Amino acid sequence: MTELLIQVSGLHWQRQTVPVLNGIDWQLQRGQHWVIMGASGAGKSVFCQILAGQLQAGGRIGYGTGQHGRPLQIAWVPQQHQFSNRSHIQTFYYQQRFNSSDAADSLTIREYLQLDTADRLCHELLQQLQLQHLADQPLIQLSNGENKRLQLVGALRRQPDIIILDSPFTGLDAAGRKLLDEVMSHWAQQGVHWIVVTEPGRLPACTTHIALLENGLFAFAGPAVEWQQHTHHAITVSPSPLPPLPSNLPQQPAFNYVVQMRHVTVKYENRIVLNDINWEVARGERWSISGPNGAGKSTLLSLIAADNPQAYANEIYLFDQRRGSGESIWDIKKKIGFVSPELHLYFDRGMRVADVVASGLFDTIGLFRILQPAQEQWVQQWLRWMELHTWANSPLFQLPLGLQRMVLLARAFVKLPPLLILDEPCQGLDSVQSARIKAWIEHICAQYPVSLLYVTHYPEEMPACITRHLQLQQGQAQEWQPPVSQHG
Protein backbone atom coordinates (compact mmCIF):
# COMPACT_ATOMS: atom_id res chain seq x y z
CA MET A 1 0.00 0.00 0.00
CA THR A 2 1.28 3.49 -0.92
CA GLU A 3 2.28 5.56 2.10
CA LEU A 4 1.53 9.29 1.96
CA LEU A 5 3.96 11.65 3.67
CA ILE A 6 2.18 14.88 2.67
CA GLN A 7 -1.38 15.36 1.32
CA VAL A 8 -2.32 18.86 0.09
CA SER A 9 -5.95 19.78 -0.70
CA GLY A 10 -7.28 23.12 -1.97
CA LEU A 11 -4.17 25.08 -0.97
CA HIS A 12 -4.55 28.82 -1.59
CA TRP A 13 -2.46 31.87 -0.66
CA GLN A 14 -2.27 35.48 -1.79
CA ARG A 15 0.38 38.22 -1.69
CA GLN A 16 -1.45 41.27 -0.34
CA THR A 17 -4.57 41.11 -2.56
CA VAL A 18 -3.00 39.20 -5.46
CA PRO A 19 -3.74 35.45 -5.59
CA VAL A 20 -0.58 33.33 -5.91
CA LEU A 21 -1.81 29.78 -5.18
CA ASN A 22 -5.34 28.99 -6.32
CA GLY A 23 -6.45 25.67 -4.82
CA ILE A 24 -3.58 23.24 -5.30
CA ASP A 25 -4.04 19.50 -4.78
CA TRP A 26 -0.81 17.49 -4.46
CA GLN A 27 0.75 14.62 -2.57
CA LEU A 28 4.19 13.28 -1.66
CA GLN A 29 4.50 9.52 -1.36
CA ARG A 30 7.28 7.63 0.37
CA GLY A 31 10.21 7.12 -1.99
CA GLN A 32 9.43 10.15 -4.17
CA HIS A 33 11.72 13.13 -4.79
CA TRP A 34 10.02 16.17 -6.36
CA VAL A 35 11.29 19.12 -8.37
CA ILE A 36 9.06 22.24 -8.39
CA MET A 37 9.44 24.50 -11.44
CA GLY A 38 7.81 27.64 -12.74
CA ALA A 39 8.47 31.22 -13.78
CA SER A 40 9.71 33.77 -11.25
CA GLY A 41 6.82 34.86 -9.05
CA ALA A 42 4.75 31.74 -9.83
CA GLY A 43 4.70 30.80 -6.13
CA LYS A 44 7.28 28.00 -5.99
CA SER A 45 9.03 29.28 -2.87
CA VAL A 46 5.69 30.16 -1.26
CA PHE A 47 4.41 26.62 -1.84
CA CYS A 48 7.54 25.13 -0.27
CA GLN A 49 7.47 27.50 2.69
CA ILE A 50 3.88 26.49 3.37
CA LEU A 51 4.82 22.80 3.28
CA ALA A 52 7.65 23.51 5.73
CA GLY A 53 5.36 25.41 8.12
CA GLN A 54 7.05 28.76 7.40
CA LEU A 55 3.87 30.40 6.03
CA GLN A 56 0.18 30.05 6.83
CA ALA A 57 -2.27 29.34 4.00
CA GLY A 58 -5.85 28.34 3.31
CA GLY A 59 -6.80 24.79 2.45
CA ARG A 60 -5.69 21.58 4.12
CA ILE A 61 -2.30 19.87 4.56
CA GLY A 62 -2.08 16.44 6.12
CA TYR A 63 1.24 14.97 7.27
CA GLY A 64 2.08 11.29 7.59
CA THR A 65 4.45 9.56 9.97
CA GLY A 66 8.22 9.85 9.92
CA GLN A 67 10.87 7.22 10.53
CA HIS A 68 10.42 4.88 13.49
CA GLY A 69 6.89 6.15 14.07
CA ARG A 70 7.95 9.67 15.05
CA PRO A 71 6.15 12.82 13.80
CA LEU A 72 7.23 13.77 10.27
CA GLN A 73 10.33 16.00 10.35
CA ILE A 74 10.77 18.61 7.59
CA ALA A 75 13.86 20.82 7.12
CA TRP A 76 13.60 24.03 5.09
CA VAL A 77 16.72 25.44 3.37
CA PRO A 78 15.96 28.85 1.79
CA GLN A 79 17.69 30.22 -1.28
CA GLN A 80 19.61 32.71 0.83
CA HIS A 81 20.33 32.66 4.53
CA GLN A 82 21.44 35.66 6.58
CA PHE A 83 23.51 34.66 9.59
CA SER A 84 23.31 36.52 12.90
CA ASN A 85 26.23 38.05 14.76
CA ARG A 86 27.49 37.01 18.19
CA SER A 87 24.65 38.97 19.80
CA HIS A 88 22.17 36.93 17.69
CA ILE A 89 21.20 40.05 15.74
CA GLN A 90 21.27 40.32 11.93
CA THR A 91 23.15 43.63 11.95
CA PHE A 92 26.09 42.93 9.66
CA TYR A 93 26.93 45.71 7.23
CA TYR A 94 27.75 44.89 3.61
CA GLN A 95 31.51 45.58 3.73
CA GLN A 96 31.99 43.72 7.03
CA ARG A 97 33.13 40.45 5.44
CA PHE A 98 36.17 42.23 3.98
CA ASN A 99 37.20 43.91 7.25
CA SER A 100 39.20 41.41 9.29
CA SER A 101 38.66 43.14 12.64
CA ASP A 102 34.88 43.56 12.27
CA ALA A 103 34.50 40.05 10.83
CA ALA A 104 35.36 38.78 14.33
CA ASP A 105 31.76 39.66 15.31
CA SER A 106 30.69 36.68 13.21
CA LEU A 107 30.56 33.14 14.57
CA THR A 108 32.82 30.55 12.97
CA ILE A 109 31.45 27.35 11.43
CA ARG A 110 32.62 25.44 14.50
CA GLU A 111 30.80 27.83 16.83
CA TYR A 112 27.66 28.01 14.67
CA LEU A 113 27.32 24.22 14.63
CA GLN A 114 28.45 23.92 18.28
CA LEU A 115 30.80 21.27 16.98
CA ASP A 116 32.44 18.80 19.34
CA THR A 117 34.49 15.69 18.73
CA ALA A 118 31.64 13.38 19.76
CA ASP A 119 29.33 14.60 16.97
CA ARG A 120 30.33 12.02 14.37
CA LEU A 121 27.45 12.78 12.01
CA CYS A 122 28.30 16.48 11.83
CA HIS A 123 31.97 15.74 11.16
CA GLU A 124 30.93 13.28 8.45
CA LEU A 125 28.69 15.90 6.83
CA LEU A 126 31.40 18.58 6.93
CA GLN A 127 33.76 16.17 5.21
CA GLN A 128 31.13 15.05 2.71
CA LEU A 129 30.35 18.66 1.77
CA GLN A 130 34.04 19.65 1.78
CA LEU A 131 33.80 22.19 4.60
CA GLN A 132 35.97 20.52 7.25
CA HIS A 133 38.99 22.72 6.43
CA LEU A 134 36.85 25.85 7.00
CA ALA A 135 35.68 24.95 10.53
CA ASP A 136 37.31 28.04 12.04
CA GLN A 137 36.26 30.40 9.25
CA PRO A 138 33.90 33.31 10.17
CA LEU A 139 30.48 32.72 8.62
CA ILE A 140 30.45 36.17 7.07
CA GLN A 141 33.57 35.36 5.06
CA LEU A 142 32.13 32.22 3.44
CA SER A 143 31.54 32.28 -0.28
CA ASN A 144 28.03 31.86 -1.64
CA GLY A 145 28.62 28.18 -2.37
CA GLU A 146 30.21 27.51 1.02
CA ASN A 147 27.25 29.19 2.72
CA LYS A 148 24.81 26.91 0.88
CA ARG A 149 26.76 23.79 1.76
CA LEU A 150 26.79 24.83 5.41
CA GLN A 151 23.01 25.25 5.40
CA LEU A 152 22.72 21.72 4.03
CA VAL A 153 24.98 20.40 6.81
CA GLY A 154 22.64 21.99 9.34
CA ALA A 155 19.59 20.43 7.67
CA LEU A 156 21.02 16.92 7.31
CA ARG A 157 22.34 16.99 10.86
CA ARG A 158 18.75 17.09 12.13
CA GLN A 159 18.09 13.77 10.33
CA PRO A 160 14.76 14.91 8.85
CA ASP A 161 12.42 12.82 6.75
CA ILE A 162 12.07 15.58 4.13
CA ILE A 163 14.43 18.38 3.09
CA ILE A 164 13.03 21.24 1.02
CA LEU A 165 15.69 23.16 -0.95
CA ASP A 166 14.97 26.48 -2.66
CA SER A 167 17.24 26.94 -5.72
CA PRO A 168 20.18 24.98 -4.25
CA PHE A 169 22.26 24.98 -7.45
CA THR A 170 22.07 28.75 -7.88
CA GLY A 171 25.45 30.40 -7.32
CA LEU A 172 27.38 27.12 -7.23
CA ASP A 173 30.31 26.43 -9.54
CA ALA A 174 30.36 23.26 -11.66
CA ALA A 175 32.22 21.24 -9.01
CA GLY A 176 29.83 22.47 -6.32
CA ARG A 177 26.77 21.46 -8.37
CA LYS A 178 28.24 18.01 -8.97
CA LEU A 179 29.05 17.60 -5.26
CA LEU A 180 25.55 18.67 -4.20
CA ASP A 181 23.98 16.27 -6.67
CA GLU A 182 26.08 13.39 -5.30
CA VAL A 183 25.23 14.27 -1.70
CA MET A 184 21.51 14.41 -2.49
CA SER A 185 21.64 11.02 -4.21
CA HIS A 186 23.53 9.52 -1.25
CA TRP A 187 21.00 10.73 1.32
CA ALA A 188 18.05 9.77 -0.90
CA GLN A 189 19.33 6.21 -0.61
CA GLN A 190 19.40 6.66 3.17
CA GLY A 191 15.69 7.54 3.22
CA VAL A 192 15.71 11.35 2.99
CA HIS A 193 13.01 12.74 0.67
CA TRP A 194 13.85 15.84 -1.38
CA ILE A 195 11.59 18.64 -2.61
CA VAL A 196 13.65 21.02 -4.74
CA VAL A 197 12.87 24.33 -6.44
CA THR A 198 15.07 24.57 -9.51
CA GLU A 199 15.27 25.37 -13.24
CA PRO A 200 14.44 22.77 -15.96
CA GLY A 201 18.10 22.30 -16.89
CA ARG A 202 19.26 21.70 -13.31
CA LEU A 203 17.44 18.58 -12.14
CA PRO A 204 19.01 16.49 -9.37
CA ALA A 205 19.88 12.94 -10.41
CA CYS A 206 17.56 11.53 -7.74
CA THR A 207 14.48 13.32 -9.15
CA THR A 208 11.48 11.01 -9.55
CA HIS A 209 8.65 13.55 -10.04
CA ILE A 210 8.24 17.06 -11.46
CA ALA A 211 5.61 19.76 -10.93
CA LEU A 212 5.19 22.91 -13.05
CA LEU A 213 3.45 25.80 -11.31
CA GLU A 214 1.50 28.16 -13.58
CA ASN A 215 -1.30 30.60 -12.75
CA GLY A 216 -1.55 29.35 -9.20
CA LEU A 217 -2.01 25.67 -10.10
CA PHE A 218 0.14 22.74 -11.18
CA ALA A 219 -0.02 22.64 -14.99
CA PHE A 220 1.88 19.36 -14.76
CA ALA A 221 2.55 17.11 -11.77
CA GLY A 222 3.78 13.61 -12.34
CA PRO A 223 6.70 11.24 -12.94
CA ALA A 224 9.86 12.75 -14.42
CA VAL A 225 9.74 10.34 -17.36
CA GLU A 226 6.33 11.71 -18.35
CA TRP A 227 7.66 15.27 -18.16
CA GLN A 228 10.42 14.35 -20.59
CA GLN A 229 7.82 12.96 -22.97
CA HIS A 230 5.79 16.18 -22.85
CA THR A 231 8.23 18.88 -23.93
CA HIS A 232 5.35 21.28 -24.59
CA HIS A 233 5.47 21.99 -20.86
CA ALA A 234 8.69 23.98 -21.36
CA ILE A 235 8.61 27.41 -19.70
CA THR A 236 8.78 29.98 -22.49
CA VAL A 237 7.75 33.61 -22.72
CA SER A 238 8.57 35.91 -25.63
CA PRO A 239 10.33 39.03 -24.31
CA SER A 240 9.08 42.38 -25.57
CA PRO A 241 11.50 44.55 -27.61
CA LEU A 242 13.70 46.98 -25.72
CA PRO A 243 12.99 50.71 -26.03
CA PRO A 244 15.79 53.30 -26.38
CA LEU A 245 17.69 54.19 -23.21
CA PRO A 246 16.32 57.04 -21.09
CA SER A 247 17.14 60.44 -22.58
CA ASN A 248 19.86 62.91 -21.44
CA LEU A 249 22.60 60.32 -20.88
CA PRO A 250 25.33 61.54 -18.50
CA GLN A 251 28.82 62.46 -19.71
CA GLN A 252 31.63 60.17 -18.58
CA PRO A 253 34.71 61.53 -16.77
CA ALA A 254 38.07 61.36 -18.55
CA PHE A 255 40.30 58.35 -17.78
CA ASN A 256 42.27 55.67 -19.62
CA TYR A 257 42.05 52.70 -17.27
CA VAL A 258 39.20 51.59 -15.04
CA VAL A 259 41.46 49.27 -13.03
CA GLN A 260 45.20 48.69 -12.74
CA MET A 261 46.47 46.16 -10.19
CA ARG A 262 50.16 45.52 -9.62
CA HIS A 263 51.29 42.58 -7.48
CA VAL A 264 48.10 42.74 -5.40
CA THR A 265 47.88 40.32 -2.47
CA VAL A 266 45.07 39.98 0.07
CA LYS A 267 45.18 37.69 3.07
CA TYR A 268 43.28 37.20 6.31
CA GLU A 269 45.50 35.88 9.10
CA ASN A 270 47.32 32.99 7.39
CA ARG A 271 44.83 32.50 4.55
CA ILE A 272 45.84 34.02 1.21
CA VAL A 273 42.78 34.97 -0.84
CA LEU A 274 44.46 36.85 -3.71
CA ASN A 275 48.08 36.18 -4.58
CA ASP A 276 50.21 38.57 -6.68
CA ILE A 277 47.45 39.76 -9.03
CA ASN A 278 48.51 41.84 -12.04
CA TRP A 279 45.57 42.99 -14.14
CA GLU A 280 44.39 45.98 -16.17
CA VAL A 281 40.97 46.94 -17.48
CA ALA A 282 41.05 49.67 -20.09
CA ARG A 283 38.20 52.11 -20.58
CA GLY A 284 35.28 50.54 -22.41
CA GLU A 285 36.43 46.93 -21.98
CA ARG A 286 33.91 44.25 -20.97
CA TRP A 287 35.32 41.38 -18.88
CA SER A 288 33.93 38.21 -17.39
CA ILE A 289 35.40 37.02 -14.09
CA SER A 290 35.11 33.32 -13.35
CA GLY A 291 36.45 30.76 -10.93
CA PRO A 292 35.24 28.22 -8.37
CA ASN A 293 33.45 29.19 -5.15
CA GLY A 294 35.99 30.64 -2.74
CA ALA A 295 38.50 31.54 -5.48
CA GLY A 296 38.53 35.24 -4.50
CA LYS A 297 36.13 36.77 -7.03
CA SER A 298 34.13 38.76 -4.46
CA THR A 299 37.35 39.92 -2.78
CA LEU A 300 38.73 41.12 -6.12
CA LEU A 301 35.55 43.10 -6.80
CA SER A 302 35.56 44.54 -3.27
CA LEU A 303 38.97 46.13 -3.95
CA ILE A 304 37.53 47.89 -7.00
CA ALA A 305 34.22 48.89 -5.38
CA ALA A 306 35.98 50.61 -2.44
CA ASP A 307 34.61 48.07 0.02
CA ASN A 308 37.89 46.49 1.15
CA PRO A 309 40.41 48.34 3.34
CA GLN A 310 43.25 46.14 2.09
CA ALA A 311 43.17 48.19 -1.12
CA TYR A 312 45.27 50.79 0.74
CA ALA A 313 48.04 48.23 1.36
CA ASN A 314 48.35 47.41 -2.35
CA GLU A 315 49.20 49.22 -5.57
CA ILE A 316 45.79 49.70 -7.12
CA TYR A 317 44.71 52.43 -9.54
CA LEU A 318 41.04 53.14 -10.14
CA PHE A 319 40.09 55.53 -12.95
CA ASP A 320 43.81 56.45 -13.25
CA GLN A 321 44.14 57.46 -9.58
CA ARG A 322 46.02 55.39 -7.02
CA ARG A 323 44.02 54.23 -4.02
CA GLY A 324 45.05 56.09 -0.89
CA SER A 325 46.11 59.26 -2.71
CA GLY A 326 43.42 61.46 -1.19
CA GLU A 327 40.23 60.25 -2.86
CA SER A 328 37.21 59.27 -0.75
CA ILE A 329 35.28 56.04 -1.18
CA TRP A 330 32.38 58.15 -2.49
CA ASP A 331 34.61 59.57 -5.24
CA ILE A 332 35.04 55.98 -6.41
CA LYS A 333 31.52 54.69 -5.84
CA LYS A 334 29.92 57.49 -7.84
CA LYS A 335 31.62 56.02 -10.93
CA ILE A 336 30.39 52.48 -10.28
CA GLY A 337 27.08 50.67 -10.54
CA PHE A 338 27.12 47.48 -8.47
CA VAL A 339 24.98 44.43 -7.75
CA SER A 340 25.71 41.19 -5.90
CA PRO A 341 23.64 38.12 -4.91
CA GLU A 342 23.29 39.16 -1.28
CA LEU A 343 22.99 42.96 -1.62
CA HIS A 344 19.21 43.05 -1.12
CA LEU A 345 19.58 41.51 2.36
CA TYR A 346 21.05 44.77 3.65
CA PHE A 347 18.12 47.00 2.69
CA ASP A 348 15.34 47.92 5.09
CA ARG A 349 12.51 45.43 4.62
CA GLY A 350 9.89 48.16 4.22
CA MET A 351 11.77 50.25 1.65
CA ARG A 352 9.85 51.07 -1.52
CA VAL A 353 11.07 49.79 -4.89
CA ALA A 354 11.38 53.34 -6.26
CA ASP A 355 13.52 54.38 -3.28
CA VAL A 356 15.79 51.33 -3.67
CA VAL A 357 16.42 52.28 -7.30
CA ALA A 358 16.95 55.94 -6.34
CA SER A 359 19.54 54.98 -3.71
CA GLY A 360 21.80 54.01 -6.60
CA LEU A 361 22.14 57.69 -7.45
CA PHE A 362 23.89 58.20 -4.10
CA ASP A 363 25.59 54.79 -3.64
CA THR A 364 23.91 54.19 -0.29
CA ILE A 365 22.06 51.11 0.98
CA GLY A 366 18.94 53.12 1.69
CA LEU A 367 17.65 56.51 0.59
CA PHE A 368 18.56 59.25 3.05
CA ARG A 369 17.76 62.42 1.13
CA ILE A 370 14.88 63.98 -0.77
CA LEU A 371 15.10 63.63 -4.55
CA GLN A 372 15.15 66.66 -6.78
CA PRO A 373 12.37 66.70 -9.42
CA ALA A 374 14.85 65.83 -12.20
CA GLN A 375 16.17 62.89 -10.18
CA GLU A 376 12.65 61.64 -9.47
CA GLN A 377 11.85 61.81 -13.19
CA TRP A 378 15.07 59.95 -14.05
CA VAL A 379 14.24 57.14 -11.60
CA GLN A 380 10.73 56.83 -13.03
CA GLN A 381 12.21 56.57 -16.55
CA TRP A 382 14.37 53.66 -15.44
CA LEU A 383 11.49 51.93 -13.69
CA ARG A 384 9.48 52.14 -16.90
CA TRP A 385 12.41 51.09 -19.06
CA MET A 386 13.00 47.98 -16.93
CA GLU A 387 9.24 47.29 -16.63
CA LEU A 388 9.25 47.74 -12.85
CA HIS A 389 6.96 50.77 -12.65
CA THR A 390 3.99 48.63 -11.59
CA TRP A 391 5.77 47.90 -8.29
CA ALA A 392 7.28 51.37 -7.75
CA ASN A 393 5.48 51.91 -4.42
CA SER A 394 5.64 48.30 -3.19
CA PRO A 395 8.02 47.31 -0.38
CA LEU A 396 11.04 45.54 -1.87
CA PHE A 397 10.69 42.45 0.34
CA GLN A 398 7.05 41.87 -0.66
CA LEU A 399 8.17 41.13 -4.21
CA PRO A 400 9.23 37.66 -5.39
CA LEU A 401 12.99 37.19 -5.10
CA GLY A 402 13.49 37.35 -8.87
CA LEU A 403 11.84 40.79 -9.01
CA GLN A 404 13.91 41.95 -6.03
CA ARG A 405 17.02 41.13 -8.05
CA MET A 406 15.65 43.06 -11.05
CA VAL A 407 15.09 46.08 -8.81
CA LEU A 408 18.71 45.96 -7.63
CA LEU A 409 19.89 45.75 -11.22
CA ALA A 410 17.89 48.89 -11.95
CA ARG A 411 19.69 50.47 -8.98
CA ALA A 412 23.05 49.55 -10.55
CA PHE A 413 22.04 50.95 -13.95
CA VAL A 414 20.23 54.10 -12.79
CA LYS A 415 23.13 56.58 -12.98
CA LEU A 416 24.72 54.95 -16.07
CA PRO A 417 28.18 54.98 -14.48
CA PRO A 418 31.51 54.47 -16.29
CA LEU A 419 31.82 51.01 -14.69
CA LEU A 420 29.22 48.31 -14.04
CA ILE A 421 30.19 45.54 -11.60
CA LEU A 422 27.59 42.78 -11.90
CA ASP A 423 28.29 39.87 -9.56
CA GLU A 424 26.04 36.97 -10.60
CA PRO A 425 23.25 39.29 -11.79
CA CYS A 426 21.09 36.39 -13.04
CA GLN A 427 21.16 34.50 -9.75
CA GLY A 428 17.60 33.70 -8.67
CA LEU A 429 16.08 34.71 -12.02
CA ASP A 430 14.10 32.42 -14.28
CA SER A 431 15.23 31.80 -17.87
CA VAL A 432 13.06 34.60 -19.27
CA GLN A 433 14.36 37.16 -16.77
CA SER A 434 17.95 36.03 -17.38
CA ALA A 435 17.52 36.51 -21.13
CA ARG A 436 16.03 39.93 -20.46
CA ILE A 437 18.98 40.94 -18.29
CA LYS A 438 21.44 39.87 -20.97
CA ALA A 439 19.51 41.91 -23.54
CA TRP A 440 19.49 44.98 -21.29
CA ILE A 441 23.25 44.76 -20.68
CA GLU A 442 23.98 44.34 -24.38
CA HIS A 443 21.58 47.21 -25.16
CA ILE A 444 23.36 49.51 -22.69
CA CYS A 445 26.84 48.53 -23.87
CA ALA A 446 25.85 49.12 -27.51
CA GLN A 447 24.59 52.66 -26.82
CA TYR A 448 26.88 53.85 -24.04
CA PRO A 449 30.68 53.50 -23.49
CA VAL A 450 30.37 51.64 -20.18
CA SER A 451 33.04 49.25 -18.87
CA LEU A 452 31.78 45.93 -17.50
CA LEU A 453 32.97 43.36 -14.95
CA TYR A 454 30.61 40.38 -15.00
CA VAL A 455 30.69 37.31 -12.72
CA THR A 456 28.80 34.11 -13.46
CA HIS A 457 29.18 30.35 -13.06
CA TYR A 458 27.03 29.71 -16.15
CA PRO A 459 28.47 30.47 -19.62
CA GLU A 460 24.98 30.72 -21.09
CA GLU A 461 24.28 33.74 -18.84
CA MET A 462 27.20 35.73 -20.29
CA PRO A 463 26.25 38.72 -22.51
CA ALA A 464 27.66 38.70 -26.04
CA CYS A 465 29.30 42.11 -25.49
CA ILE A 466 31.95 40.50 -23.23
CA THR A 467 35.21 40.04 -25.11
CA ARG A 468 37.82 39.40 -22.39
CA HIS A 469 37.88 36.82 -19.63
CA LEU A 470 39.71 36.58 -16.30
CA GLN A 471 39.83 33.34 -14.35
CA LEU A 472 40.72 33.05 -10.66
CA GLN A 473 42.02 29.79 -9.25
CA GLN A 474 43.42 29.45 -5.72
CA GLY A 475 43.99 33.19 -5.49
CA GLN A 476 45.84 33.53 -8.78
CA ALA A 477 44.53 35.15 -11.96
CA GLN A 478 45.03 34.54 -15.64
CA GLU A 479 43.29 35.64 -18.81
CA TRP A 480 41.69 32.89 -20.87
CA GLN A 481 39.70 32.56 -24.09
CA PRO A 482 36.44 30.55 -24.10
CA PRO A 483 35.33 28.36 -27.01
CA VAL A 484 33.99 30.16 -30.06
CA SER A 485 30.47 28.84 -29.27
CA GLN A 486 30.44 30.65 -25.90
CA HIS A 487 27.54 32.92 -26.88
CA GLY A 488 25.81 30.54 -29.25
Side-chain angles (χ1 to χ4, degrees):
M1 181 177 177
T2 302
E3 181 180 355
L4 290 181
L5 297 182
I6 302 178
Q7 176 81 51
V8 173
S9 303
L11 191 68
H12 57 89
W13 187 88
Q14 62 184 33
R15 181 179 287 111
Q16 295 178 309
T17 59
V18 179
V20 176
L21 304 180
N22 297 321
I24 288 178
D25 297 324
W26 175 83
Q27 62 183 25
L28 171 68
Q29 298 177 9
R30 187 170 296 281
Q32 293 180 348
H33 307 283
W34 281 79
V35 159
I36 312 295
M37 296 190 295
S40 178
K44 307 180 298 295
S45 298
V46 167
F47 176 73
C48 289
Q49 286 176 276
I50 293 168
L51 294 183
Q54 302 291 313
L55 285 177
Q56 297 296 315
R60 183 181 181 278
I61 304 179
Y63 295 97
T65 303
Q67 296 182 29
H68 312 299
R70 70 178 186 181
L72 193 72
Q73 302 293 311
I74 301 177
W76 160 247
V77 181
Q79 181 173 342
Q80 281 195 315
H81 177 71
Q82 191 171 19
F83 293 110
S84 301
N85 62 15
R86 292 184 180 276
S87 301
H88 305 289
I89 301 172
Q90 294 179 341
T91 56
F92 292 121
Y93 60 91
Y94 183 74
Q95 296 84 357
Q96 190 165 346
R97 64 183 294 195
F98 307 115
N99 191 321
S100 57
S101 59
D102 286 356
D105 191 34
S106 168
L107 296 172
T108 64
I109 288 180
R110 187 185 306 278
E111 292 168 331
Y112 172 72
L113 295 173
Q114 297 181 333
L115 193 60
D116 60 53
T117 54
D119 194 340
R120 294 181 60 184
L121 175 60
C122 197
H123 282 282
E124 175 190 337
L125 291 169
L126 287 171
Q127 184 171 5
Q128 193 175 53
L129 286 153
Q130 299 180 7
L131 291 172
Q132 70 275 20
H133 64 292
L134 298 174
D136 295 310
Q137 182 96 341
L139 301 179
I140 200 172
Q141 290 183 349
L142 297 178
S143 72
N144 199 357
E146 292 160 352
N147 183 324
K148 289 197 172 188
R149 299 205 302 272
L150 178 59
Q151 290 183 64
L152 191 53
V153 169
L156 286 165
R157 184 191 196 185
R158 292 163 49 192
Q159 303 184 57
D161 303 288
I162 301 169
I163 297 181
I164 304 177
L165 301 178
D166 191 353
S167 306
F169 297 105
T170 300
L172 296 184
D173 57 35
R177 297 194 294 272
K178 181 175 182 292
L179 174 64
L180 178 58
D181 202 18
E182 292 171 349
V183 169
M184 291 177 65
S185 293
H186 169 79
W187 286 99
Q189 294 174 2
Q190 306 304 311
V192 173
H193 297 76
W194 299 95
I195 301 174
V196 182
V197 174
T198 190
E199 289 282 300
R202 302 172 189 173
L203 303 185
C206 62
T207 302
T208 63
H209 288 70
I210 292 173
L212 172 64
L213 192 52
E214 286 182 350
N215 301 317
L217 294 169
F218 284 139
F220 174 89
V225 291
E226 293 183 13
W227 167 270
Q228 294 165 1
Q229 294 169 0
H230 293 78
T231 55
H232 63 274
H233 287 298
I235 306 165
T236 57
V237 177
S238 300
S240 54
L242 289 172
L245 285 177
S247 56
N248 304 319
L249 301 182
Q251 293 294 315
Q252 283 202 3
F255 61 89
N256 294 314
Y257 286 93
V258 175
V259 180
Q260 292 173 291
M261 293 187 176
R262 297 173 183 168
H263 305 289
V264 169
T265 295
V266 173
K267 62 180 181 179
Y268 296 97
E269 296 181 348
N270 297 321
R271 185 172 63 95
I272 296 176
V273 180
L274 297 176
N275 186 17
D276 196 32
I277 303 294
N278 292 281
W279 182 43
E280 291 183 339
V281 178
R283 178 177 181 148
E285 288 185 339
R286 286 81 187 246
W287 285 75
S288 74
I289 301 173
S290 61
N293 294 123
K297 301 183 297 297
S298 295
T299 300
L300 182 76
L301 296 181
S302 72
L303 295 170
I304 300 168
D307 289 330
N308 194 321
Q310 293 204 40
Y312 298 109
N314 284 281
E315 189 176 355
I316 299 175
Y317 300 83
L318 301 178
F319 307 100
D320 293 342
Q321 186 172 2
R322 180 164 181 173
R323 286 302 317 269
S325 61
E327 83 292 351
S328 72
I329 64 169
W330 305 110
D331 293 328
I332 297 169
K333 286 183 176 294
K334 70 182 181 183
K335 300 172 185 172
I336 297 173
F338 175 77
V339 73
S340 73
E342 65 278 356
L343 185 62
H344 70 288
L345 296 175
Y346 296 86
F347 281 85
D348 184 277
R349 298 188 67 85
M351 194 170 180
R352 295 187 319 139
V353 164
D355 293 339
V356 172
V357 175
S359 72
L361 296 171
F362 311 109
D363 313 301
T364 52
I365 298 181
L367 186 62
F368 306 107
R369 63 183 77 184
I370 297 174
L371 296 180
Q372 299 297 318
Q375 293 171 328
E376 181 71 41
Q377 184 179 10
W378 181 252
V379 169
Q380 293 301 322
Q381 282 191 67
W382 274 95
L383 288 169
R384 286 192 296 273
W385 191 74
M386 294 189 67
E387 301 174 350
L388 295 169
H389 54 285
T390 304
W391 298 278
N393 294 314
S394 300
L396 177 68
F397 279 80
Q398 288 187 6
L399 270 59
L401 186 55
L403 277 175
Q404 292 181 35
R405 297 278 171 77
M406 303 284 268
V407 171
L408 289 176
L409 280 161
R411 177 184 180 272
F413 294 156
V414 69
K415 62 186 177 187
L416 275 179
L419 173 63
L420 285 173
I421 299 178
L422 306 182
D423 187 355
E424 300 191 58
C426 295
Q427 187 176 126
L429 306 184
D430 61 33
S431 57
V432 174
Q433 290 173 325
S434 294
R436 191 72 170 168
I437 289 300
K438 285 174 60 178
W440 275 331
I441 294 168
E442 290 164 6
H443 198 50
I444 290 170
C445 287
Q447 298 188 52
Y448 194 69
V450 64
S451 302
L452 176 65
L453 304 180
Y454 189 99
V455 176
T456 182
H457 289 296
Y458 297 94
E460 66 271 16
E461 293 179 353
M462 206 176 293
C465 58
I466 291 173
T467 58
R468 304 193 70 176
H469 307 270
L470 186 76
Q471 185 170 44
L472 289 173
Q473 187 82 28
Q474 296 181 337
Q476 297 187 321
Q478 63 177 7
E479 187 172 358
W480 67 288
Q481 194 61 37
V484 176
S485 61
Q486 177 79 35
H487 304 300

